[in-house]
Amino acid sequence: MNFLTQQNEVASRLRLLTTNSDQLTLVKRWLNQSQQEIWSRYDWPWALDREIVQTVIDKTAGTVAVSLGATTVTGTDTAFGSADVNKFIQLSSNNDWYRITAVASTTSLTIEKAFTGTTALTTGTYTIRQFFYSTSSSAEKILSVHQTITPAFVRMVHYRDFDIFRPNPSSTGGPSVMVLFGQDSSNNWRFTPYPFPDAVLNLEVRIKETATDLSADTDTSVIPARWHSTVMIDGALYRGLEYLSVGNPSPQDSRAAEMRRNFYAGIRHMIAECEPDAGNHPVVMNRDAINVPFGPTLPDK
């Protein structure tokens, strides 16, 4: 059932006109709200996908110089590039990490905060490291992360647990945990693997995709077709009936409540159909054949 057919179905059952632009806008919005709510209720099998996030090794070639209180780092035999923006740099005379905000050339970059070392650095070593990695824009939620080579499971931990663990910011190796850390400038999920990768690794990120609103009349919801004319329609109808009953108490109120119950019952039915059972089946046994007593042994009296 495409978007146009759904619009006509909802409009006819609510006695609205698709030729009225205002009413049609409401119908479209109710259908998209219905789809979004269904989407948010469960990690649906059809919503799952995977993508590869490739790690980046540290950059250390050449030497650098920076004055006290300055934000410009000058390199010699370095290969700074635009990809280094938003990475972090550590200079040999100071253990702090500074975020790189701009790269002017292969030998010049700008750091976010002024250099606060004890002395100016004239010919020092450095480490440029990528602390954060991002998913694509299609990822609504990160479900799990694996290394594709080992394949080792990279466990997601809460940032508070991570901070209590007091990780060594200089530790490198194969990542064993990851911490979600907000979103990047494009509103994509951002995470930190730890220890920080010392090699180029492919991290397989299992994601729940973002649901895209229906727009063109020919669009079809990613929700399986058998629920287009039932659950999705019910969700749009209950919203429409609630809208029509505002300021005008009538039988619409009870109809809206009934349709709302149908909608959520439909979602529960969808979840029941999608729940994996791992091949487990109940086994019925005659109680007389079971020798182990049920519960604790009680005294005779």
Side-chain angles (χ1 to χ4, degrees):
M1 182 179 283
N2 64 24
F3 194 30
L4 178 61
T5 304
Q6 288 180 316
Q7 294 168 44
N8 291 333
E9 177 68 16
V10 172
S12 64
R13 291 175 66 175
L14 293 176
R15 298 182 180 179
L16 299 177
L17 299 175
T18 56
T19 53
N20 182 305
S21 61
D22 292 337
Q23 294 181 6
L24 181 60
T25 297
L26 289 172
V27 170
K28 290 180 177 181
R29 187 173 72 199
W30 295 332
L31 281 165
N32 277 314
Q33 288 173 337
S34 177
Q35 175 182 255
Q36 289 292 346
E37 185 161 3
I38 293 170
W39 198 266
S40 69
R41 292 281 168 167
Y42 190 71
D43 294 335
W44 306 104
W46 63 82
L48 307 185
D49 202 353
R50 63 181 286 279
E51 57 188 42
I52 296 295
V53 173
Q54 194 168 76
T55 62
V56 179
I57 60 174
D58 293 345
K59 183 179 288 187
T60 59
T63 59
V64 292
V66 59
S67 302
L68 282 176
T71 57
T72 298
V73 178
T74 302
T76 301
D77 297 327
T78 52
F80 304 148
S82 58
D84 294 328
V85 175
N86 288 324
K87 293 182 183 178
F88 288 75
I89 184 170
Q90 185 185 58
L91 306 167
S92 57
S93 63
N94 188 287
N95 290 328
D96 284 333
W97 290 89
Y98 297 84
R99 187 172 71 89
I100 299 169
T101 58
V103 173
S105 68
T106 57
T107 57
S108 178
L109 59 79
T110 303
I111 54 179
E112 182 178 27
K113 301 296 182 181
F115 179 62
T116 58
T118 55
T119 60
L121 186 64
T122 54
T123 307
T125 58
Y126 71 96
T127 299
I128 292 179
R129 177 169 296 168
Q130 183 159 331
F131 279 8
F132 303 112
Y133 293 83
S134 297
T135 62
S136 69
S137 59
S138 64
E140 177 184 277
K141 177 182 177 182
I142 296 177
L143 302 174
S144 66
V145 179
H146 291 79
Q147 291 186 42
T148 59
I149 297 177
T150 25
F153 178 68
V154 182
R155 188 165 62 94
M156 287 189 287
V157 298
H158 194 278
Y159 72 89
R160 288 177 181 162
D161 296 330
F162 185 72
D163 290 340
I164 291 172
F165 174 63
R166 296 187 177 217
N168 181 349
S170 297
S171 291
T172 58
S176 58
V177 300
M178 59 163 283
V179 183
L180 284 178
F181 208 87
Q183 296 176 310
D184 61 20
S185 58
S186 300
N187 296 323
N188 300 327
W189 285 112
R190 187 172 63 172
F191 65 91
T192 296
Y194 184 83
F196 298 103
D198 58 358
V200 177
L201 300 173
N202 286 337
L203 300 179
E204 181 184 60
V205 182
R206 299 181 190 274
I207 63 169
K208 178 182 179 181
E209 291 186 307
T210 301
T212 303
D213 280 350
L214 303 172
S215 177
D217 288 344
T218 54
D219 286 351
T220 302
S221 174
V222 291
I223 294 172
R226 65 183 181 277
W227 290 308
H228 289 181
S229 59
T230 52
V231 185
M232 273 193 70
I233 294 293
D234 288 347
L237 287 175
Y238 103 70
R239 288 172 170 82
L241 290 167
E242 285 182 342
Y243 171 80
L244 294 174
S245 67
V246 172
N248 182 30
S250 67
Q252 305 278 29
D253 292 332
S254 59
R255 289 179 59 204
E258 179 184 0
M259 198 59 66
R260 191 175 190 274
R261 288 192 295 270
N262 290 345
F263 175 61
Y264 290 112
I267 292 178
R268 290 193 295 271
H269 178 67
M270 291 172 65
I271 293 174
E273 283 198 15
C274 293
E275 282 282 5
D277 65 1
N280 296 325
H281 299 280
V283 178
V284 179
M285 296 180 64
N286 187 328
R287 181 177 178 183
D288 294 337
I290 301 176
N291 296 322
V292 179
F294 289 97
T297 303
L298 302 176
D300 291 342
K301 297 183 180 181

